[in-house]
């Protein structure tokens, strides 16, 4: 059998039921800020990380670098960075909007049993530079692809993920003592959700509703 035909014979075939469930998965992939304190087993976390590592990357470089933050002292320093940056962000708004902002719960850092700091190596030897000479940022984009894959895998297991971006990336890098070539892309809180919602929390809090696809779709 020719290689091409063999490849076609091996292609996946997903059922209509699977496609409906996949749509449900995407709708339930929400940013979680309220976590139960139940721990995740080492096996559960390892499985999710293995699934995430299947993500595509530019030049097959796999530039993501994952730090499991277990130290209580380091976690507390990250929380302090969040508190400082969160208050600085609040002060950028007019008083009424600042009041609304301060009422938002924007992180589950104190409750989540697992903290993951996700970095992107800006000069990985793996991949030999393929595909990024004109768009160096594809390394970070690849890391984001890994994060999204992790997020979807977590949701299939009933585990929630929250992406914390209100942090000083240089300070977090210093706290975690990582390589100078690593760039912080995300700080993730991971654990079992305290409550479940299909709609985004910022929509429920009347901060910002989702807009229709047509407002972001252009044809040339």
């Amino acid at each position: 059998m020719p290689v091409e035909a063999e490849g076609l014979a091996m292609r996946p075939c997903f059922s209509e039921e699977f496609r409906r469930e996949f749509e449900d998965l995407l709708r339930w992939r929400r940013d979680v800020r309220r976590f139960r304190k139940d721990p995740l087993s080492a096996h559960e976390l390892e499985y999710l990380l293995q699934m995430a590592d299947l993500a595509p990357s530019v030049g097959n470089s796999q530039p993501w670098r994952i730090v499991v933050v277990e130290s209580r002292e380091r976690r507390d320093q990250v929380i302090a960075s969040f508190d400082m940056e969160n208050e600085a962000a609040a002060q950028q708004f007019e008083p009424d909007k600042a009041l609304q902002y301060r009422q938002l719960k924007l992180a589950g850092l104190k409750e989540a049993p697992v903290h993951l700091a996700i970095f992107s190596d800006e000069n990985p030897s793996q991949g030999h530079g393929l595909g990024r000479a004109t768009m160096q940022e594809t390394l970070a984009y690849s890391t984001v692809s890994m994060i999204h894959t992790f997020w979807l895998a977590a949701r299939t297991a009933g585990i929630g993920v929250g992406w914390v971006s209100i942090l000083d990336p240089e300070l977090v890098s210093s706290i975690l003592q990582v390589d100078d070539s690593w760039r912080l892309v995300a700080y993730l809180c991971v654990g079992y959700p305290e409550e479940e919602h299909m709609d985004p929390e910022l929509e429920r809090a009347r901060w910002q509703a989702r807009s229709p696809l047509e407002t972001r779709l252009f044809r040339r």
Side-chain angles (χ1 to χ4, degrees):
M1 178 183 295
V3 173
E4 292 82 6
E6 185 179 281
L8 287 175
M10 294 174 62
R11 67 184 176 185
C13 182
F14 298 110
S15 67
E16 284 297 320
E17 180 182 6
F18 176 88
R19 293 174 67 183
R20 287 193 296 271
E21 290 179 342
F22 181 67
E23 181 178 340
D24 287 343
L25 174 61
L26 295 180
R27 293 185 183 279
W28 279 108
R29 190 228 56 80
R30 288 285 161 246
D31 196 309
V32 175
R33 288 91 181 265
R34 294 174 173 81
F35 294 92
R36 305 199 317 253
K37 293 188 178 181
D38 312 42
L40 265 65
S41 70
H43 172 75
E44 288 172 314
L45 182 58
E46 174 66 18
Y47 171 77
L48 297 182
L49 293 174
Q50 290 289 349
M51 293 300 97
D53 202 50
L54 296 175
S57 59
V58 61
N60 209 21
S61 57
Q62 295 176 285
W64 45 85
R65 305 291 181 259
I66 305 165
V67 179
V68 184
V69 185
E70 298 176 330
S71 162
R72 182 72 261 174
E73 180 182 359
R74 287 193 168 106
R75 285 193 183 199
D76 287 344
Q77 290 176 313
V78 170
I79 291 170
S81 174
F82 169 82
D83 290 340
M84 180 175 64
E85 297 300 333
N86 195 43
E87 179 55 29
Q91 293 177 14
Q92 296 177 16
F93 297 108
E94 295 297 322
D96 288 347
K97 199 67 173 177
L99 177 61
Q100 184 186 11
Y101 178 89
R102 289 188 174 98
Q103 293 171 339
L104 298 172
K105 182 168 176 56
L106 299 176
L109 289 163
K110 295 180 181 178
E111 304 87 0
V114 175
H115 286 204
L116 300 177
I118 312 296
F119 296 85
S120 188
D121 190 336
E122 296 192 310
N123 190 32
S125 58
Q126 185 172 326
H128 309 287
L130 189 153
R132 63 179 192 261
T134 54
M135 294 183 68
Q136 176 72 12
E137 62 271 24
T138 52
L139 289 167
Y141 298 162
S142 298
T143 300
V144 171
S145 176
M146 183 281 293
I147 293 166
H148 191 245
T149 304
F150 176 88
W151 212 315
L152 294 180
R155 285 278 65 195
T156 67
I159 296 168
V161 179
W163 183 325
V164 184
S165 60
I166 307 172
L167 294 167
D168 180 336
E170 292 187 4
L171 178 57
V172 173
S173 296
S174 175
I175 291 169
L176 300 180
Q177 298 180 307
V178 299
D179 192 283
D180 289 343
S181 68
W182 296 8
R183 168 188 171 192
L184 183 68
V185 174
Y187 196 95
L188 304 181
C189 297
V190 184
Y192 291 102
E194 188 177 79
E195 53 189 47
E196 294 278 14
H197 298 277
M198 187 176 284
D199 55 334
E201 176 151 341
L202 293 182
E203 192 168 297
R204 295 197 306 279
R206 301 183 184 279
W207 179 268
Q208 176 65 65
R210 292 180 69 87
S211 56
L213 171 62
E214 290 74 16
T215 63
R216 295 179 296 281
L217 184 62
F218 306 91
R219 302 184 190 279
R220 295 290 187 266

